[in-house]
């Protein structure tokens, strides 16, 4: 039996608290706990999907893994090295290995720069090659994302949304990274264009040996591209499992409710909807106990007192639920 490779990216107890602005003659508000104790592992060549409601901390987690924002606590390991301890010079060398594709394919591109300059910019910043080799690299990147060489002298506004996202992907690939955070990378695109970009990302992953963190609220897209899926709620991971296993046998009540909201594949098939009561609590006033207790249809008194941790409930499936952990809430 071959040994399991160590994770490429790992988060341990990752936290990010945003301080609220102080107001005159008003008591300071507690910080907003956007990410509050996240543990994640992403293996080389894997696509980990990260899903959850808006405001649960998905995008913040992605930016923390790249240290685009500084964590309030915890550690982020890249090939076993804690990058939270690196200074700016040390982190600069790591930037080449870790890149991001943003949600808005127009807002993430400088409208005053031509495509040639947009893709060349990271090569210049990191001092890669000379002018001739950089020009060759840019042409190669355009071929990788299936854009014609005539695109080089055009501006972002001259392209469709899908084409702009391909430019964003080409820019992310310029420095030959091994890990890419795709933050809602297809949510702003039409469904047909989404499929094209997803297929492109799969091809690039296969050919370039890429590792993805794919952040999305679209469960159908996540199921299509992910090897494993992590479900996030109010700054915490509540379930992690292989994609097929999670979609066919969800164990956490929140995951069950998310999947029950998906439309059926056929009009004759009806789903039993697991309704979620109320809204997500305020991330700045999280009390004791399970964070999902105020909305859970299976809540018990102990759920308001005990904070569940991720435990192995099924082979390869981790769940943070007291009743699943003790077997009183079957999947």
């Amino acid at each position: 039996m071959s040994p399991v490779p160590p994770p490429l990216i790992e988060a341990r107890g990752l936290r990010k608290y945003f301080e609220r602005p102080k107001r005159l003659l008003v008591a300071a508000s507690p910080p907003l706990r956007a990410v509050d104790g996240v543990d994640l592992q992403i293996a080389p060549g894997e696509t980990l999907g990260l899903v959850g409601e808006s405001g649960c901390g998905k995008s913040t987690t992605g930016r923390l893994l790249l240290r685009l924002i500084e964590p309030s606590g915890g550690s982020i390991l890249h090939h076993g090295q804690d990058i939270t301890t690196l200074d700016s010079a040390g982190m600069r060398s790591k930037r080449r290995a870790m890149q991001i594709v943003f949600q808005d394919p127009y807002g993430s591109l400088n409208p005053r720069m031509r495509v040639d300059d947009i893709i060349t910019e990271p090569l210049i910043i990191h001092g890669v090659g000379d002018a001739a080799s950089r020009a060759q690299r840019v042409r190669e990147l355009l071929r990788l994302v299936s854009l014609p060489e005539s695109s080089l002298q055009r501006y972002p506004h001259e392209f469709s949304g899908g084409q702009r996202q391909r430019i964003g992907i080409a820019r992310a690939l310029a420095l030959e990274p091994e890990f890419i955070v795709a933050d809602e990378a297809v949510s702003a695109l039409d469904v047909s264009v989404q499929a094209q970009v997803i297929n492109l990302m799969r091809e690039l992953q296969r050919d370039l040996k890429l590792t993805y963190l794919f952040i999305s609220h679209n469960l159908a897209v996540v199921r299509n591209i992910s090897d494993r899926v992590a479900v996030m709620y109010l700054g915490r991971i509540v379930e992690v499992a292989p994609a097929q296993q999670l979609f066919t046998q969800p164990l956490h009540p929140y995951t069950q409710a998310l999947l029950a909201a998906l439309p059926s594949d056929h009009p004759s098939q009806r789903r039993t909807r697991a309704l979620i009561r109320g809204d997500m609590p305020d991330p700045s006033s999280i009390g004791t106990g399970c964070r999902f207790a105020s909305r859970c249809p299976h809540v018990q008194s102990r759920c308001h007192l005990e904070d569940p941790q991720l435990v192995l409930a099924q082979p390869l499936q981790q769940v943070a639920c007291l009743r699943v952990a003790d077997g009183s809430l079957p999947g």
Side-chain angles (χ1 to χ4, degrees):
M1 185 176 180
S2 59
V4 178
L8 175 68
I9 295 289
E10 183 175 5
R12 298 177 181 173
L14 191 60
R15 302 192 307 276
K16 180 59 181 180
Y17 298 168
F18 291 100
E19 297 294 334
R20 300 291 186 91
K22 296 181 180 180
R23 293 183 294 171
L24 186 64
L25 303 179
V26 177
S29 300
L32 190 150
R33 293 155 67 176
V35 176
D36 195 15
V38 162
D39 296 315
L40 275 180
Q41 292 186 344
I42 310 177
E46 178 184 38
T47 297
L48 177 68
L50 184 59
V51 302
E53 292 175 84
S54 296
C56 70
K58 305 187 300 297
S59 294
T60 302
T61 299
R63 283 163 170 73
L64 285 171
L65 292 180
L66 302 178
R67 261 191 74 183
L68 294 180
I69 54 178
E70 294 296 325
S72 303
S75 56
I76 305 162
L77 279 65
H78 175 242
H79 287 300
Q81 181 183 17
D82 188 355
I83 65 173
T84 63
T85 64
L86 298 178
D87 58 15
S88 57
M91 196 61 215
R92 182 184 177 89
S93 64
K94 288 287 185 184
R95 297 278 181 219
R96 295 184 60 169
M98 302 186 292
Q99 294 292 315
I100 186 170
V101 178
F102 294 97
Q103 175 178 359
D104 183 356
Y106 187 69
S108 62
L109 303 177
N110 189 331
R112 294 181 176 86
M113 294 176 67
R114 293 185 175 91
V115 170
D116 187 12
D117 299 321
I118 289 172
I119 302 177
T120 305
E121 186 176 34
L123 299 172
I124 295 174
I125 290 173
H126 286 267
V128 178
D130 55 18
S133 63
R134 288 196 292 264
Q136 181 179 352
R137 174 63 176 159
V138 170
R139 290 193 295 270
E140 176 188 339
L141 289 166
L142 282 182
R143 286 194 297 270
L144 280 175
V145 299
S146 301
L147 286 176
E149 195 170 319
S150 59
S151 304
L152 288 173
Q153 299 306 313
R154 295 163 62 188
Y155 291 91
H157 73 270
E158 299 180 72
F159 296 89
S160 67
Q163 290 172 325
R164 285 196 288 261
Q165 196 60 291
R166 289 171 185 265
I167 296 168
I169 292 172
R171 178 179 60 183
L173 294 174
L175 297 171
E176 302 183 46
E178 56 184 355
F179 175 57
I180 291 180
V181 173
D183 186 10
E184 300 278 9
V186 298
S187 64
L189 307 177
D190 294 337
V191 174
S192 60
V193 180
Q194 285 185 10
Q196 295 171 15
V197 174
I198 290 295
N199 289 336
L200 171 65
M201 293 182 67
R202 280 175 160 175
E203 292 170 6
L204 293 171
Q205 183 177 39
R206 180 195 63 216
D207 297 340
L208 305 179
K209 312 300 183 202
L210 298 173
T211 301
Y212 291 141
L213 175 67
F214 192 88
I215 300 169
S216 180
H217 62 272
N218 188 325
L219 294 170
V221 171
V222 168
R223 182 175 189 173
N224 187 265
I225 195 174
S226 301
D227 300 303
R228 288 189 305 133
V229 178
V231 181
M232 195 167 192
Y233 182 80
L234 203 61
R236 287 270 184 91
I237 302 297
V238 298
E239 187 164 2
V240 184
Q244 185 63 25
Q245 187 170 334
L246 184 132
F247 277 86
T248 56
Q249 191 181 10
L251 295 180
H252 196 281
Y254 177 62
T255 309
Q256 293 171 354
L258 286 180
L259 297 184
L262 285 173
S264 300
D265 296 331
H266 193 275
S268 64
Q269 299 175 347
R270 295 185 178 272
R271 295 182 185 270
T272 301
R273 294 189 179 272
L275 298 178
I276 304 178
R277 303 190 303 264
D279 298 320
M280 188 185 296
D282 185 349
S284 63
S285 58
I286 299 172
T288 58
C290 175
R291 296 169 184 229
F292 191 57
S294 62
R295 306 174 71 189
C296 181
H298 309 289
V299 65
Q300 295 181 336
S301 57
R302 62 177 177 150
C303 298
H304 295 286
L305 303 174
E306 301 177 46
D307 188 7
Q309 303 299 311
L310 275 176
V311 297
L312 194 65
Q314 297 283 354
L316 305 178
Q317 190 164 7
Q318 293 177 288
V319 185
C321 177
L322 298 172
R323 297 189 66 188
V324 171
D326 64 18
S328 63
L329 184 65

